[in-house]
Amino acid sequence: MCGIMGYIGERAAVPVLLDGLRRLEYRGYDSAGVAVVEDGAIAVRKSAGKLSQLVKVVEQIPLSGDIGIGHTRWATHGHPSDENAHPHADCRERVVVIHNGIIENFLSLKEELLARGHRFRSDTDTEVLAHLIEEAYRGDLAAAVEQAVAQASGAYALVVLSADEPDKIVAVRRISPLIVGLGQNEILLASDIPALLPHTRDVIVIEDGELAVLTRGGVAISRIGGGPVDRLPMRVTWDAAAAEKGGFAHFMLKEIHEQPRALQETMMGRLPSDEEIALDGVALGPESARRLSKVWIVACGTAYHAALVGRTLLEQLARIPTEVDLGSEFRYRSPLVSGGALAVAVSQSGETADTLAAAREARARGARALAVVNVVGSTLAREAEDVLYTRAGPEIAVCSTKAYLTQLAALAMLATALGQARGTIAPPRVSALIQGLRALPAKAQAVLSLEPAIIALAERLQRTEDAFFIGRGLDYPLAMEGSLKLKEISYVHSEALAAGELKHGTLALVVPGVVVVALGTQPALIEKTVSNVQQVGARGAEVVGVATESTAPVLAPHVDELITVPAIDPLLAPVLAAIPLQLLAYHMARLRGHDVDQPRNLAKSVTVE
Ligand code: G6P
């Protein structure tokens, strides 16, 4: 985890670094630090706590210098403290390093370094790299970095600054992301593209196994242990303002309200007529689609909940047996993946370590990989044969919203396209689905107008400590997503259940005052869900129902409160019904006084296993 920033140019480095770290805080925010070269020596400021703490430290003891590095941390080794905050220095304080990732063999390296007389100041895995570079240094920083990382196993984006070569930043990448930004008389470095956008739109993605040397004259990239790499910069077309809050109180609320537009972007150019789906980036042709024997979907967190919806869509529309696995579990059950299978990896960031590992495992076992991913140029996107970008734009809030809705829309397009190619859905059904997809942005906009009613509901429920989300069919993964939203930002204990499972245990926890959110968007299942609603109602639960205009008349008599979204094809209903659940979680968290965009203990993109 962690966010990385580097600067070399003509301006004061520290304000640029702090601004970049602010944009990268979603990657971790338990401590932060910066280092610059000042009067020929390395000067470091760091602090436990959020970035604002570091800003105070820098205000109290300012730093000057036009070359520097900065880091915002999400702890993996060593608790969040001043000492464990990056940058970390060697014994002589001539070299400092910042790092995103995990050095898996750091304990044995540390023992060896201690035996050779090195003094450690932190409990981190990162610090071994500073000492390894110190040992390897013979007047060539890049060579020393290369030698140091050759001894380390694991994942790293490592950035190094040395007082002995004060006009240079050396960066190296294995697995964790690293992007170079080319500005006017300045070069920048960051963990992601939005952090660079205030300064430049010309970026170079450092690839796995590459080393970059940033100097005032430019950037030189080479393969570790190999020769120079010639790579042209790419021009980013994102709007810098898209990465700002745009007048909303929190990024999460802004991102919820961006959903109609995000859905529109997801579908733009991909539904050219009522008969046709054109998925750019997906090279899998009709013939290969017909031959597919099985689909495996791998994902984590919210993307996993989208994947569960995707399974039903693929099975119902394309009639392909589909399994869904958590990225963190897939490898450990020796999955029976064979050639002719498609592995769909769903991820907002495209950097989630478990999802990447699962997709690699599936490919190694002969599957073709298709990434449903938001971040352009992310590791997952680059490794997969096919890429279906969700085009949600930058998602900053840790709690995922627009990424989820666009994943659902992308998976619906994929399932429809595969069904069409395989001849498993009749042309009128294809047209109906395409029309249903096209209607989503306007209907999502209509759902957003329910916000005042949801605020009133959140005000009433804000002191709730236990909640259960129930649903059947597609409403079950929707229940899982609603429950996750609520717990991760409002810290209300919450569980999701297949409604039919209630009677096998959890019903014992339903006592007067417990909140049950009953999802009832599926006409074929609504009667059965109503039976379960009656079971919890009879035990005194306060029941909030979510229905579509089609199912509302059946659910309404049995719930204390009903949220109704527009009528929609049942297969697309989760797209609309998720929105009130997001708004409920948001307003509950806000009313309970929590840090909505940066919930405790979590991070936006989990790049460790
Ligand atoms: C973290 C985020 C979640 C996200 C999950 C998977 O836990 O907080 O919002 O769903 O990672 O991330 P990905 O980038 O792979 O979708």
Side-chain angles (χ1 to χ4, degrees):
M1 282 320 289
C2 313
I4 277 178
M5 193 73 200
Y7 178 83
I8 174 166
E10 293 170 345
R11 291 189 279 163
V14 169
V16 179
L17 296 174
L18 292 176
D19 177 73
L21 293 182
R22 186 175 62 74
R23 290 165 207 278
L24 291 167
E25 249 194 316
Y26 72 88
R27 299 179 68 86
Y29 38 79
D30 60 40
S31 47
V34 288
V36 295
V37 180
E38 205 178 47
D39 304 325
I42 300 279
V44 175
R45 303 283 183 271
K46 53 189 190 175
S47 170
K50 292 199 171 171
L51 188 62
S52 49
Q53 290 301 318
L54 175 67
V55 171
K56 279 187 201 146
V57 172
V58 173
E59 274 166 11
Q60 277 158 14
I61 321 169
L63 285 172
S64 59
D66 55 11
I67 173 167
I69 59 178
H71 187 269
T72 178
R73 179 168 187 249
W74 186 76
T76 59
H77 294 74
H79 64 283
S81 66
D82 290 355
E83 296 72 34
N84 288 336
H86 298 213
H88 293 288
D90 69 329
C91 298
R92 299 176 310 133
E93 300 188 358
R94 301 293 291 170
V95 173
V96 276
V97 302
I98 54 177
H99 165 224
N100 167 205
I102 289 179
I103 304 303
E104 283 170 358
N105 59 339
F106 89 100
L107 271 179
S108 56
L109 289 171
K110 188 169 177 175
E111 274 168 27
E112 290 162 24
L113 285 159
L114 284 167
R116 293 199 290 270
H118 288 269
R119 283 170 291 112
F120 279 75
R121 301 178 190 86
S122 78
D123 307 319
T124 63
D125 52 337
T126 303
E127 193 181 343
V128 297
L129 294 165
H131 296 282
L132 289 174
I133 294 166
E134 175 185 15
E135 276 192 351
Y137 189 68
R138 307 268 179 281
D140 181 346
L141 185 62
V145 170
E146 206 167 321
Q147 277 183 45
V149 295
Q151 300 171 64
S153 60
Y156 43 80
L158 174 72
V159 179
V160 187
L161 191 63
S162 166
D164 294 318
E165 296 182 38
D167 285 316
K168 191 179 279 181
I169 295 174
V170 176
V172 63
R173 171 184 178 185
R174 181 164 180 264
I175 301 174
S176 309
L178 210 47
I179 322 283
V180 172
L182 305 173
Q184 283 281 326
N185 301 325
E186 58 189 17
I187 315 249
L188 301 104
L189 191 66
S191 298
D192 77 9
I193 291 173
L196 299 171
L197 288 185
H199 312 287
T200 180
R201 291 176 173 279
D202 296 322
V203 304
I204 299 177
V205 177
I206 306 295
E207 300 282 352
D208 243 12
E210 287 180 353
L211 180 138
V213 179
L214 281 60
T215 58
R216 294 183 192 281
V219 54
I221 302 173
S222 57
R223 284 215 67 78
I224 298 176
V229 173
D230 217 7
R231 182 164 310 131
L232 290 174
M234 64 178 196
R235 183 144 259 260
V236 179
T237 51
W238 284 358
D239 179 358
E244 298 294 337
K245 274 188 217 156
F248 287 93
H250 297 96
F251 278 112
M252 181 179 171
L253 190 61
K254 169 176 174 265
E255 288 159 6
I256 289 173
H257 281 266
E258 280 173 350
Q259 291 182 118
R261 212 187 64 208
L263 286 167
Q264 213 155 22
E265 294 274 333
T266 310
M267 292 183 282
M268 196 175 287
R270 291 170 169 166
L271 305 173
S273 73
D274 278 3
E275 290 80 41
E276 205 187 336
I277 298 185
L279 299 180
D280 52 304
V282 179
L284 182 92
E287 190 46 47
S288 311
R290 278 191 284 277
R291 282 202 307 268
L292 283 178
S293 55
K294 180 155 182 166
V295 176
W296 299 80
I297 318 184
V298 291
C300 300
T302 284
Y304 173 71
H305 299 154
L308 291 169
V309 174
R311 172 174 64 190
T312 299
L313 298 176
L314 283 162
E315 291 198 336
Q316 291 205 5
L317 298 175
R319 308 304 293 161
I320 313 175
T322 303
E323 286 202 47
V324 180
D325 264 276
L326 289 163
S328 54
E329 288 293 322
F330 180 71
R331 285 164 291 161
Y332 307 125
R333 64 181 183 114
S334 193
L336 298 173
V337 180
S338 51
L342 181 69
V344 177
V346 186
S347 172
Q348 187 284 128
S349 62
E351 303 293 347
T352 301
D354 287 321
T355 305
L356 286 174
R360 286 176 188 146
E361 174 81 21
R363 287 183 79 213
R365 289 175 181 260
R368 176 187 179 112
L370 186 152
V372 175
V373 64
N374 190 35
V375 177
V376 176
S378 57
T379 307
L380 188 63
R382 280 178 291 112
E383 290 183 3
E385 277 82 8
D386 304 292
V387 185
L388 182 52
Y389 282 117
T390 52
R391 304 182 187 156
E395 190 179 67
I396 307 297
V398 168
C399 189
S400 181
T401 54
K402 62 178 180 169
Y404 172 71
L405 251 64
T406 56
Q407 284 160 356
L408 294 181
L411 288 165
M413 286 191 291
L414 178 67
T416 309
L418 291 178
Q420 192 181 36
R422 292 163 65 87
T424 49
I425 25 177
R429 182 79 180 110
V430 172
S431 300
L433 284 162
I434 289 178
Q435 285 163 14
L437 282 160
R438 284 214 201 96
L440 283 175
K443 290 186 178 180
Q445 194 64 53
V447 179
L448 288 171
S449 68
L450 301 174
E451 190 169 6
I454 294 168
I455 292 173
L457 178 64
E459 279 166 355
R460 200 152 59 71
L461 300 183
Q462 63 175 297
R463 271 176 277 283
T464 300
E465 288 309 330
D466 282 298
F468 296 96
F469 287 69
I470 60 170
R472 287 173 181 260
L474 283 180
D475 286 329
Y476 176 34
L478 180 63
M480 293 166 83
E481 178 59 7
S483 171
L484 177 66
K485 294 302 89 169
L486 186 67
K487 79 174 90 169
E488 72 175 315
I489 55 172
S490 73
Y491 312 150
V492 172
H493 166 254
S494 170
E495 278 182 50
L497 287 142
E501 279 295 295
L502 259 176
K503 55 186 176 289
H504 298 298
T506 309
L507 201 53
L509 297 177
V510 178
V511 291
V514 160
V515 171
V516 174
V517 181
L519 287 328
T521 70
Q522 301 296 302
L525 301 169
I526 190 65
E527 299 285 356
K528 288 198 188 307
T529 302
V530 162
S531 305
N532 304 123
V533 168
Q534 284 172 326
Q535 288 159 10
V536 295
R539 283 154 183 89
E542 162 133 26
V543 186
V544 177
V546 179
T548 68
E549 281 165 357
S550 321
T551 53
V554 189
L555 192 55
H558 309 283
V559 297
D560 298 296
E561 183 117 15
L562 186 66
I563 300 166
T564 306
V565 303
I568 185 81
D569 190 301
L571 290 182
L572 303 176
V575 179
L576 300 183
I579 300 171
L581 305 181
Q582 298 167 342
L583 284 168
L584 180 64
Y586 170 78
H587 287 292
M588 290 272 283
R590 177 183 61 79
L591 289 164
R592 290 163 73 98
H594 297 313
D595 185 341
V596 175
D597 284 335
Q598 295 182 339
R600 68 186 178 208
N601 303 341
L602 303 180
K604 181 71 184 157
S605 172
V606 185
T607 54
V608 295
E609 288 181 16

